[in-house]
Amino acid sequence: MRGVPRPLALALARAVGLVAVGVGLVLGATYLPAPINLAQGATPTRATRAPAEPVTQTRLICPGPEALGIEGLPDSLPQTVSVAAAAAPVESLPPGLVTGPGDGSLAISGLPSGGKWAVSATVRGQVVSGQVSTARSALVTGVGTLAPGVVATQWSWIPEGNSRGLVTAACMPAATSSWLIAGGAGPGRLEHLVLANPGPNPVTVDLAVFGVKGRIDSPDGQGLTVAGHSRTVILLDAIAGSEPSPVVHVMARGGKVAAFLSDTWLDGIVPRGGDDVVSLAEPAREQVIAGVPIDGRAILRVAVPGDSEAVVESRVLTSGGPRPLPADGVTRVAGRSTRDIDLSSLPPGAYAVQVRADVPVVAAAMVDRRRAAGAPSDLAWSVASLPIRTLAGMALPTSEVKGLTQRLDLAATTDPASVRVTTVGVDGRVSTNEVAIAADSVSTLSLNGATSVWVTPLTGLVRAAVVTSVTDAGGVLLSLTPLADLTLTATPSPLRQLRDQ
Amino acid sequence: MRPAVRPVVVTGVLVVHDGAAWLTECLDALSLQSRPLDRLVIVDTGSTDDSLRIAAKHARIRQVVGDVVAISALHANTFGEAVGHAVEQMTFGSEPSGSESSESASSQAVTGAQWLWLLHDDSAAAPEALAHLLDAALRSPSVGVAGPKLVTWDDPSRLLEVGSVITRSGRRVGGPETGEPDQGQHDHRNDVLGVSTSGMLIRRDVFETLDGFDPAFGQFRDDLDLCWRVQLAGHRVVVAPRARMREAAASTNGQRSHGLSADAARGRDRRDGRQVALARCSPYAAPVLAIWIALASLGSAAVLLVAKRPHGAWAALGDFGSLMTPWRPMAARWRSRGIRRVRRRDLRGLFASPRAGFGHTLDTIHEGVAPLGAGSGSARSVDDGAGSALSLESGPASEEAESLERPARGAGWRILRHPGFLAVMAGALLAAATWRSLFGALIPSGAGIAGGELLPVSSNASGLWHAWLDGWHGAGLGNALEPAPYLPVLSAGAWVLEHLPLIGASTSSVGVSIAWLLAAAVPLSAWTAYLGTRVVTRARWPRAWAALAWASLATLTTAVASGRLGAVVAHILLPLVAAGFACAARRSARIWTTFGAALALGMTGAFNPALAALGVLAALILLVVGHGRTRLRAAVLLLVPIGLLGPWILQLVDNPLLLLTGPGLTVWRGATAVPWQLGLLHPGGPGSYPVLLSAPIVLAGVIAMSRCRADSRTMTVLAVLMMAGLALGVASPHVIIGLIPQDLAGAGNPITVWAGTGLDLAALALIAAALRGFGRGSARLSRPRFRWRQILVLCVVTAAVLGVVGSMAMAGWVGVGEALTRQVPKTPAVAAEQAHGSWGNRLLAMSREGDTIGYRLVGAEPGPVVRDLPGAVVAQDPLLAAAVNSTVGTSDVTSTTAARDALADLGVGFVAFHGASTEPLVTQLDATAGMTRLSNNNGQILWRVLPRENAVGSSRLRLVDAEGAPLVSIAVTGDHGQTDVSLGPATSGASSALSSASASDGRRLVVAEPNRWAERARVTFAGRRLEAIAGAEQPTYLLPPIAGQLSITLAPTHQWWRWGQLGLLLVVLFLGAPLGLTRSRRTP
């Protein structure tokens, strides 16, 4: 450092020292990134998701007499319907479902309240039944241990007169959106829309009716109010009277409603029968309609809810595998429109219909039974349903009906499937039966003598429907009831109190 | 023959009492009178010094006057008594020896023209004094008294008194001030209410008619009393300014060996003045005047105390003494009965107007709050707590040299050229440029800002204040945790905002005040830095550079852009705190700087505890190494912040980790800057600008620290501070102080310490060092030697200036970033309105978060304002969980109203769901009995919880019968159920429908708060304290069936500590406010 003034040397030393410490700190922080953990408490673990629990309450609504209590019209004819409800026998319940100890009950009541009802059931498999002949729906409530796996069916059998026909309808939980496919043009053909609100608050319902020429806009279908604990019946003809191929979308605001569409036809003095439809599937790019027993006139009705045109590819599934449609196997359906595809030329047999489209569609099939032109007939609707994941079932109309035949139609798609079919006899005897279905085919099983039938899926994608028919002197009365996948368990949404930050 | 030659006989009455110091000069002056005295009576009142000897030996006076008599009045205690004794002697006693009988006879003939000239032994009349006095006195036969202009003994050019001007309440106003330069400004006076006894020329018959001085007023203001009576008796009192007398005012100044001290004399003077007014005013006005004196005394004392004039305040309080002895003015009034010849209102013109008295007080206050140093060197008076030499006009006399310091240009020009002002303005421009995208958030009627570390808050000053003060506070159901200490500061800011004129009411004045604070952070930082750097250098332009360097630091711009409130406030206050410490370490610190720094440190601690801890550490060091007064100041700096932060300190003891946190001082997510950027004072985050722009500041600081100079000790301290700050800064991102809790986004991730706090310290040291090292750069540049050093200094200074300019430009260009946004109220308007309404309705806000449903109870009470370390989750209230479960539980639609009742019991009036309307929960809530959907706006669906069957809606307070059925809702007036309402008796209203059993059991008050609320609540009804019924689900109180006032308050957790905090704050504010002068106000 000779020659450099002493203050300068000192200054240099200081500067070097300062810079060295600073650089040392920075380098230390860069290359020694081990964190100093002062956090208190252990490492937090992720909260486990709440397990699914058996439902503790099931509420199903049966439409009740569809023709009674139409808004603005006096009741023309008396009508009585029967309601049967049952809880799935233990044998049919999927493995792992433990309903737990404790009491449960299954009861039917009126909606709005009223009517006389049988005492409630407390045993699984036991059928509770009742009759409604007033303008009200029936509310089937299963609570406690009997809540999981409750089904109910409303049916009416009228062998004679203008109302001749056999009608079965699955009772449904209330929903915010229902797609109802039934009805048509023709003199004397009426579509009753039954809306039942089991909740305490009024619900506003908007209807969207789709037809072959597009959506039918009508102010009458907007803002319908269904009071709490009550039902409303309206005639769809007021909105779309001459529509040959109506499809109704029921949208509920401020609550849920159970929606049913009753399609009855009195062609002059010739009773052409009727059937009730419910909504089992929301619009999707694949719809499968199980239980389409064709023997005569039959149609497939497809509706496109969206704006875009759909390319619809349809085929039927038979016991021998899939078959193409006789005509219109691939067809175009304009957006917001419906289309009927004739299936009448198919040979008689048990079918399922598979519909695929490039945009979501809804679909249903109607079959007709008519001995001869001019003779009375009966029509039946089967709607597309979802594959059974947990359990499906149906309380069957009593075997007291003369000439009653009941058959379970199973349809498997994509892969071979197998199911366990459980039936409960009149004597309460439970019998199970494993059924295998080949891929893309259907299989049938007779149910005669059973009070309820239950389908527990084992493998594959299976849809099921019950075909109920009565053969009498006037011909065949037919009704189709696709089975809905039941909700046995519920996963409660975990509740969490949020922080204020 | 008429004795026309000398019709006027003037008898001097000189009262002597230990006046040896002045007596010779006094007698000399008397002997030099151009109109000599006819007689002189020297009255001695028991002098113990050689006054008597001086009087006896003074030959010249005897030559001039001839008739000089010395008498003794040992019993006389006062001047008045002495004079009275002398006059008695002259009238009734033997004629003073040596007088000639012929002259005696002639003088008897002109008794009416006999005058008495009253003289003090500490006065010296100018040669023409008597002549001028007689001139004034004889000008009109109505003149009874004439007085001279009194000037100070030492400097005849300074005034003492030119007649006395008082208010009607006896207070001296209107000057002249003691020591006021005599420029003839009072020479216009003629008729006055009174003149001093010193040099008073009074007609002998008047004196005798009035029976002389009143003994009630002793030594002080007896002159005023006498003159007042003279006036009342129909004579005039005039002052003759041309007659000058020097007066030592020895008694008043405490210069008499046995007299009162100066302070006591002033007090007596003041009191006696008031008593004279009480004695001589109209008897009807006396009580009013007494009340007025009491009120004015209290008011003046309070105002003067606030203006930090404790002496003046004490003196003002002394006026009370005049009311303590009411018998004295009453006796005086009795003695003087019957003398009044004129109406009192004829004297009106002689008093000072009330306005003059008020203006006088204002002057005093102005003097107290006048800027420091503005009146340095001016003479001040504590008489009356008043006297402002500042307000006087200076004449062209020689001593007005001080006025030459005034600049030639106006004040506006001076301000415009002031570097500090320019720095603050530049900071304001930078702030305006930075906030260009968020101007809308600064609208006073808006909701302020949110985002970054700022949580959405909708509250006003009162809400925030109660969130801090009340024992039960906080959002939702509330809690009893110790509130954050910064809440009252924010509350004060919001309060100021709310009370600004011409500004519309805001729904969230807290949010707006935070927005304003953040927006003003840059200019405020520049301002405080400019003020604080005064301890480093007096050079203004370098200080302006330092101010802007401090205000444009990345630590501030990023803190503002991220809403790191604690960092912003600390950045603003840090220069003041540091300057306060620097002052405290020196010998010459003023009290207010110490207390101001302590206050700033306390406030910094409320926002940034780490800095307060370092400050306390520094104070401790100062306490150990300092000496004398430094230790005292260090103790103040140590104890005041601790006292101000109060019970919150206990929290620190429980959880020392809180020291590292603070409002917005944690990093939850987002990358921190890499260490080399930290080394260049950039903590990273929104609001960052190019890092290298800060390099010149670091460079300048390091070079300055490296230089060897006389103040190397300071540089060493700064270097240590810089290194400590840098170490803290680079270590902070590695310190994990917590993990993000499960229920928040980013759960499980570490929460680290924000690096900016340490970097702020490092920056402070660097800037201070640079300022100290290069602050006088221009001086260095002019040195002839060491060329290399000049070049170095030039380069460093240029780089530092350019660096700051570049930083400001880029910070302005980058702007405030995206993190902060305008706050949009999340609570629907109707729910917010009801929350602040009389039922205090709550909103149950729900949202779907993944597979869970989150819920939160929102009331009028504000939650946290800024993100901090997550505290322990407040235990979930089982009632709330049950209510929510019954509302959104898996069970299907029920016909019962269980959900509604459970919600109403918690005061929930509204339920909101944030999410898609297709959510099953929406349908479920739609179908829930007792709830009706109100609206669906912006993804938020709102339901109203309907009133129950008996129309009792959701409310915080409700009356129920013995079965628990609600009877009526009770209005609340505050947060968390606080109220003060009157209730009718139990028989009225719904209770008539009750069964007899329940009526006998009585009604109950149920509070929609958790049970622990009852521990903090004080519930009184009809004056009696109620205790909560044990075992109830919610706080329940049995109400007596009588009518009464129901009052519910939530006492603060540490009530006495809170009072202490408030008291300490007031004291510190008083002592810390830079008002008034701490140096002596006495006239030297």
Side-chain angles (χ1 to χ4, degrees):
Chain A
M1 282 300 202
R2 189 178 295 272
V4 181
R6 194 168 159 275
L8 180 60
L10 259 176
L12 273 177
R14 277 180 184 230
V16 168
L18 278 174
V19 171
V21 175
V23 170
L25 280 172
V26 168
L27 287 180
T30 312
Y31 294 106
L32 296 173
I36 308 160
N37 195 343
L38 302 177
Q40 291 168 334
T43 313
T45 53
R46 259 235 168 291
T48 51
R49 195 190 151 89
E53 290 168 0
V55 295
T56 55
Q57 189 179 43
T58 303
R59 289 150 70 89
L60 302 175
I61 296 107
C62 311
E66 300 90 346
L68 298 186
I70 304 168
E71 265 192 7
L73 285 179
D75 294 339
S76 52
L77 289 169
Q79 191 190 356
T80 301
V81 298
S82 302
V83 175
V90 177
E91 292 82 351
S92 67
L93 293 178
L97 181 80
V98 182
T99 54
D103 295 334
S105 69
L106 178 62
I108 309 177
S109 58
L111 184 73
S113 57
K116 287 192 171 180
W117 302 97
V119 290
S120 56
T122 52
V123 182
R124 288 195 163 271
Q126 184 186 350
V127 172
V128 187
S129 56
Q131 288 193 321
V132 195
S133 53
T134 52
R136 57 166 50 91
S137 293
L139 182 64
V140 177
T141 310
V143 294
T145 52
L146 254 56
V150 167
V151 294
T153 308
Q154 171 179 315
W155 56 278
S156 69
W157 171 56
I158 300 165
E160 300 293 334
N162 288 344
S163 307
R164 180 181 191 272
L166 177 67
V167 175
T168 61
C171 301
M172 298 295 293
T176 52
S177 166
S178 304
W179 288 89
L180 300 172
I181 306 162
R189 192 158 181 180
L190 295 175
E191 294 94 21
H192 293 93
L193 179 64
V194 180
L195 303 169
N197 174 15
N201 295 336
V203 175
T204 307
V205 174
D206 296 323
L207 302 180
V209 181
F210 298 90
V212 287
K213 291 180 179 166
R215 183 170 163 162
I216 301 160
D217 286 317
S218 166
D220 293 344
Q222 303 297 311
L224 308 169
T225 304
V226 185
H229 295 299
S230 73
R231 77 161 199 177
T232 299
V233 180
I234 57 171
L235 271 173
L236 200 62
D237 304 74
I239 300 169
S242 58
E243 173 56 46
S245 176
V247 169
V248 185
H249 184 205
V250 178
M251 292 162 287
R253 283 184 282 136
K256 296 178 183 180
V257 291
F260 307 88
L261 189 59
S262 162
D263 179 9
T264 56
W265 191 6
L266 177 64
D267 187 4
I269 56 163
V270 181
R272 299 293 299 270
D275 206 358
D276 283 1
V277 293
V278 297
S279 173
L280 293 181
E282 287 287 300
R285 287 173 60 187
E286 183 189 34
Q287 299 282 9
V288 177
I289 308 157
V292 187
I294 295 174
D295 183 7
R297 196 167 78 87
I299 56 160
L300 165 67
R301 182 172 294 172
V302 179
V304 183
D307 292 338
S308 359
E309 183 190 65
V311 177
V312 180
E313 184 185 0
S314 314
R315 62 178 183 176
V316 292
L317 310 180
T318 69
S319 55
R323 297 252 182 91
L325 294 193
D328 294 333
V330 178
T331 185
R332 291 175 180 276
V333 182
R336 302 162 78 88
S337 316
T338 65
R339 169 141 191 207
D340 285 358
I341 298 167
D342 192 16
L343 307 176
S344 306
S345 56
L346 284 169
Y351 293 93
V353 183
Q354 187 177 30
V355 176
R356 290 190 180 122
D358 55 346
V359 293
V361 295
V362 292
M366 188 211 77
V367 296
D368 198 17
R369 292 287 188 272
R370 194 173 203 188
R371 234 170 232 173
S377 64
D378 194 13
L379 59 85
W381 283 96
S382 185
V383 300
S385 59
L386 299 175
I388 302 166
R389 306 266 177 196
T390 56
L391 178 69
M394 182 181 174
L396 297 170
T398 56
S399 53
E400 291 157 16
V401 180
K402 269 168 59 179
L404 179 77
T405 3
Q406 289 168 322
R407 190 182 87 195
L408 178 69
D409 276 24
L410 299 162
T413 51
T414 316
D415 292 312
S418 62
V419 295
R420 186 169 77 233
V421 178
T422 309
T423 53
V424 183
V426 180
D427 51 2
R429 203 165 51 85
V430 177
S431 58
T432 60
N433 202 351
E434 286 206 3
V435 180
I437 312 115
D440 293 328
S441 63
V442 298
S443 178
T444 61
L445 190 73
S446 174
L447 299 174
N448 286 342
T451 59
S452 64
V453 60
W454 306 90
V455 180
T456 315
L458 299 176
T459 58
L461 298 174
V462 178
R463 291 169 174 86
V466 170
V467 179
T468 311
S469 63
V470 176
T471 310
D472 59 14
V476 178
L477 301 178
L478 184 70
S479 186
L480 304 174
T481 316
L483 303 190
D485 188 35
L486 299 179
T487 304
L488 305 182
T489 58
T491 307
S493 285
L495 294 174
R496 197 178 66 198
Q497 189 170 347
L498 298 177
R499 284 167 194 263
D500 297 308
Q501 58 178 6
Chain B
M1 189 182 109
R2 290 183 59 197
V5 182
R6 296 178 69 183
V8 175
V9 177
V10 180
T11 308
V13 181
L14 172 64
V15 180
V16 179
H17 181 85
D18 287 352
W22 311 278
L23 191 55
T24 309
E25 208 166 332
C26 172
L27 293 171
D28 286 349
L30 289 180
S31 60
L32 289 174
Q33 285 302 309
S34 59
R35 192 293 187 191
L37 282 165
D38 298 310
R39 275 188 293 183
L40 177 64
V41 183
I42 300 175
V43 191
D44 174 56
T45 57
S47 297
T48 53
D49 59 1
D50 47 359
S51 300
L52 286 175
R53 197 176 52 80
I54 294 170
K57 292 208 170 167
H58 202 280
R60 171 116 52 94
I61 190 71
R62 286 184 165 72
Q63 289 170 6
V64 174
V65 179
D67 184 5
V68 176
V69 184
I71 62 174
S72 174
L74 289 174
H75 62 279
N77 290 320
T78 63
F79 181 86
E81 284 171 5
V83 172
H85 179 72
V87 174
E88 266 174 33
Q89 295 283 315
M90 287 158 57
T91 311
F92 303 109
S94 60
E95 200 66 12
S97 60
S99 64
E100 293 166 24
S101 59
S102 59
E103 282 210 7
S104 165
S106 63
S107 67
Q108 288 292 341
V110 289
T111 306
Q114 280 212 25
W115 291 81
L116 301 171
W117 197 25
L118 311 185
L119 295 161
H120 292 189
D121 56 0
D122 56 350
S123 65
E128 300 289 327
L130 183 56
H132 286 308
L133 277 175
L134 271 177
D135 183 40
L138 298 176
R139 198 162 285 175
S140 159
S142 61
V143 171
V145 173
K149 169 154 86 178
L150 297 180
V151 296
T152 58
W153 182 267
D154 300 321
D155 183 356
S157 69
R158 295 198 179 262
L159 287 172
L160 204 58
E161 188 178 307
V162 189
S164 63
V165 182
I166 63 163
T167 63
R168 278 194 177 275
S169 59
R171 198 175 141 209
R172 286 185 197 261
V173 292
E177 304 302 335
T178 304
E180 181 181 325
D182 180 16
Q183 290 145 13
Q185 65 268 40
H186 297 292
D187 288 357
H188 60 277
R189 286 185 183 172
N190 187 14
D191 276 287
V192 292
L193 187 65
V195 294
S196 168
T197 45
S198 179
M200 177 193 284
L201 186 68
I202 181 168
R203 237 164 66 192
R204 182 171 169 179
D205 59 331
V206 172
F207 184 86
E208 284 171 348
T209 313
L210 296 176
D211 211 9
F213 292 97
D214 194 296
F217 304 107
Q219 202 168 349
F220 300 96
R221 309 320 295 270
D222 49 350
D223 49 359
L224 177 68
D225 175 68
L226 178 66
C227 292
W228 201 326
R229 278 185 288 139
V230 167
Q231 303 263 17
L232 287 173
H235 307 285
R236 287 170 59 200
V237 176
V238 296
V239 65
R242 289 163 68 199
R244 296 165 64 92
M245 273 184 87
R246 287 160 60 213
E247 163 73 38
S251 296
T252 312
N253 292 334
Q255 289 166 330
R256 302 262 183 210
S257 53
H258 300 296
L260 295 166
S261 72
D263 279 342
R266 273 186 211 97
R268 283 289 293 280
D269 182 77
R270 220 182 135 106
R271 272 202 302 281
D272 284 359
R274 299 290 199 183
Q275 287 203 328
V276 168
L278 283 170
R280 302 303 166 211
C281 69
S282 152
Y284 307 108
V288 179
L289 187 62
I291 293 169
W292 168 249
I293 288 171
L295 291 180
S297 161
L298 275 182
S300 309
V303 170
L304 288 167
L305 196 64
V306 168
K308 286 203 204 168
R309 302 295 302 269
H311 281 289
W314 180 245
L317 270 185
D319 283 350
F320 259 102
S322 62
L323 305 175
M324 293 296 113
T325 52
W327 56 87
R328 285 176 58 194
M330 284 164 78
R333 188 184 285 277
W334 174 255
R335 282 191 290 273
S336 63
R337 63 193 183 278
I339 57 140
R340 188 161 65 84
R341 296 284 176 274
V342 297
R343 292 174 301 179
R344 282 193 170 84
R345 65 166 178 263
D346 292 338
L347 304 182
R348 192 188 300 159
L350 299 173
F351 291 99
S353 66
R355 188 191 294 173
F358 184 65
H360 196 67
T361 308
L362 279 187
D363 283 347
T364 309
I365 297 164
H366 173 254
E367 184 188 3
V369 299
L372 290 168
S376 59
S378 298
R380 278 156 197 277
S381 161
V382 289
D383 172 60
D384 221 357
S388 169
L390 288 176
S391 57
L392 298 175
E393 281 297 320
S394 292
S398 61
E399 64 268 17
E400 295 346 298
E402 59 206 49
S403 70
L404 295 178
E405 287 176 14
R406 293 200 173 176
R409 313 224 188 195
W413 177 251
R414 248 191 316 158
I415 290 172
L416 280 178
R417 285 193 54 204
H418 195 281
F421 175 78
L422 292 177
V424 173
M425 282 300 113
L429 278 179
L430 172 59
T434 312
W435 281 71
R436 60 187 180 272
S437 60
L438 270 179
F439 271 138
L442 301 176
I443 295 172
S445 56
I449 51 171
E453 303 298 309
L454 294 176
L455 302 170
V457 61
S458 171
S459 181
N460 55 12
S462 162
L464 215 55
W465 172 251
H466 282 283
W468 175 77
L469 186 69
D470 289 348
W472 190 262
H473 51 78
L477 287 172
N479 59 68
L481 301 177
E482 178 64 30
Y486 62 86
L487 293 181
V489 184
L490 287 186
S491 169
W495 187 89
V496 170
L497 183 71
E498 285 166 18
H499 289 81
L500 287 182
L502 306 176
I503 279 185
S506 165
T507 54
S508 174
S509 56
V510 172
V512 178
S513 63
I514 289 175
W516 283 24
L517 176 63
L518 292 186
V522 170
L524 280 178
S525 297
W527 184 50
T528 57
Y530 186 83
L531 290 180
T533 46
R534 197 164 189 267
V535 301
V536 179
T537 175
R538 294 285 175 107
R540 289 175 165 187
W541 285 106
R543 279 169 65 197
W545 168 83
L548 286 178
W550 179 251
S552 63
L553 279 177
T555 48
L556 181 63
T557 59
T558 56
V560 167
S562 309
R564 299 186 184 280
L565 195 61
V568 170
V569 175
H571 193 92
I572 294 171
L573 292 175
L574 203 52
L576 297 182
V577 175
F581 270 96
C583 281
R586 293 178 184 172
R587 286 180 188 277
S588 61
R590 295 204 180 94
I591 290 176
W592 71 264
T593 55
T594 309
F595 278 91
L599 180 66
L601 183 60
M603 202 140 83
T604 308
F607 283 89
N608 194 335
L611 288 178
L614 290 175
V616 165
L617 187 70
L620 271 177
I621 293 173
L622 215 54
L623 197 63
V624 172
V625 304
H627 35 69
R629 292 208 154 199
T630 303
R631 283 192 168 166
L632 205 62
R633 292 184 208 119
V636 168
L637 287 171
L638 178 68
L639 296 177
V640 165
I642 291 176
L644 284 178
L645 290 176
W648 184 74
I649 298 287
L650 299 179
Q651 295 278 104
L652 281 184
V653 176
D654 281 351
N655 182 9
L657 218 53
L658 290 179
L659 270 181
L660 294 174
T661 66
L665 295 176
T666 52
V667 178
W668 286 46
R669 287 181 295 276
T672 315
V674 294
W676 73 266
Q677 294 177 330
L678 294 177
L680 290 178
L681 311 175
H682 276 251
S688 292
Y689 54 86
V691 175
L692 286 178
L693 283 173
S694 301
I697 294 175
V698 178
L699 188 72
V702 169
I703 291 177
M705 286 175 187
S706 310
R707 298 172 68 172
C708 301
R709 296 241 322 267
D711 55 356
S712 62
R713 213 158 121 193
T714 310
M715 288 300 183
T716 308
V717 171
L718 289 178
V720 169
L721 184 63
M722 191 266 280
M723 284 305 161
L726 187 61
L728 195 61
V730 296
S732 292
H734 295 282
V735 179
I736 297 172
I737 47 170
L739 301 176
I740 299 180
Q742 281 312 309
D743 49 345
L744 296 178
N749 287 333
I751 301 171
T752 56
V753 181
W754 188 59
T757 304
L759 300 187
D760 252 357
L761 281 180
L764 184 80
L766 286 168
I767 291 175
L771 192 60
R772 197 161 182 90
F774 298 102
R776 299 190 181 277
S778 56
R780 273 173 215 301
L781 284 176
S782 60
R783 281 191 193 170
R785 294 173 58 211
F786 290 118
R787 283 184 61 84
W788 62 271
R789 190 173 279 182
Q790 288 177 14
I791 293 165
L792 175 76
V793 168
L794 188 65
C795 288
V796 170
V797 168
T798 310
V801 171
L802 288 180
V804 169
V805 171
S807 298
M808 291 182 66
M810 285 313 293
W813 175 262
V814 168
V816 80
E818 306 278 311
L820 297 182
T821 51
R822 271 183 84 162
Q823 191 182 160
V824 181
K826 280 192 171 174
T827 311
V830 59
E833 190 186 331
Q834 293 282 312
H836 290 92
S838 55
W839 307 133
N841 274 184
R842 287 184 169 120
L843 166 78
L844 178 66
M846 296 193 282
S847 56
R848 176 165 286 284
E849 321 223 323
D851 55 352
T852 62
I853 291 173
Y855 63 93
R856 173 187 294 143
L857 212 49
V858 181
E861 300 87 358
V865 178
V866 193
R867 180 153 45 205
D868 203 341
L869 193 63
V873 181
V874 177
Q876 296 202 356
D877 188 75
L879 272 184
L880 174 60
V884 177
N885 204 25
S886 76
T887 311
V888 304
T890 50
S891 61
D892 205 345
V893 182
T894 55
S895 59
T896 62
T897 53
R900 189 264 310 275
D901 291 349
L903 291 175
D905 284 353
L906 283 168
V908 175
F910 298 90
V911 175
F913 177 78
H914 201 84
S917 58
T918 53
E919 181 81 28
L921 180 61
V922 174
T923 315
Q924 190 181 339
L925 290 172
D926 273 337
T928 303
M931 282 170 56
T932 178
R933 196 199 273 210
L934 282 188
S935 65
N936 182 359
N937 285 329
N938 306 323
Q940 189 171 47
I941 305 164
L942 184 70
W943 291 266
R944 181 186 187 81
V945 179
L946 296 172
R948 295 179 240 227
E949 285 77 11
N950 49 7
V952 178
S954 307
S955 60
R956 293 288 179 97
L957 302 173
R958 62 185 188 277
L959 282 189
V960 301
D961 62 18
E963 277 82 39
L967 300 173
V968 66
S969 296
I970 299 175
V972 293
T973 54
D975 288 347
H976 283 299
Q978 295 185 90
T979 191
D980 192 23
V981 292
S982 58
L983 295 181
T987 48
S988 68
S991 63
S992 58
L994 296 179
S995 66
S996 58
S998 63
S1000 67
D1001 203 9
R1003 53 186 179 164
R1004 286 130 204 266
L1005 168 76
V1006 184
V1007 186
E1009 300 286 345
N1011 264 325
R1012 288 193 53 216
W1013 173 90
E1015 298 166 15
R1016 308 287 179 189
R1018 183 186 161 85
V1019 181
T1020 59
F1021 180 67
R1024 275 202 305 135
R1025 177 98 188 252
L1026 303 182
E1027 292 299 330
I1029 298 172
E1033 276 192 326
Q1034 289 181 303
T1036 306
Y1037 299 85
L1038 194 61
L1039 281 193
I1042 54 170
Q1045 188 78 8
L1046 175 70
S1047 162
I1048 301 178
T1049 52
L1050 293 165
T1053 319
H1054 307 275
Q1055 199 161 1
W1056 291 110
W1057 206 330
R1058 298 281 185 236
W1059 280 114
Q1061 276 178 291
L1062 180 67
L1064 181 64
L1065 179 68
L1066 288 179
V1067 169
V1068 172
L1069 276 178
F1070 175 66
L1071 292 173
L1075 302 177
L1077 295 177
T1078 48
R1079 72 180 62 129
S1080 168
R1081 296 183 181 83
R1082 301 287 175 86
T1083 308

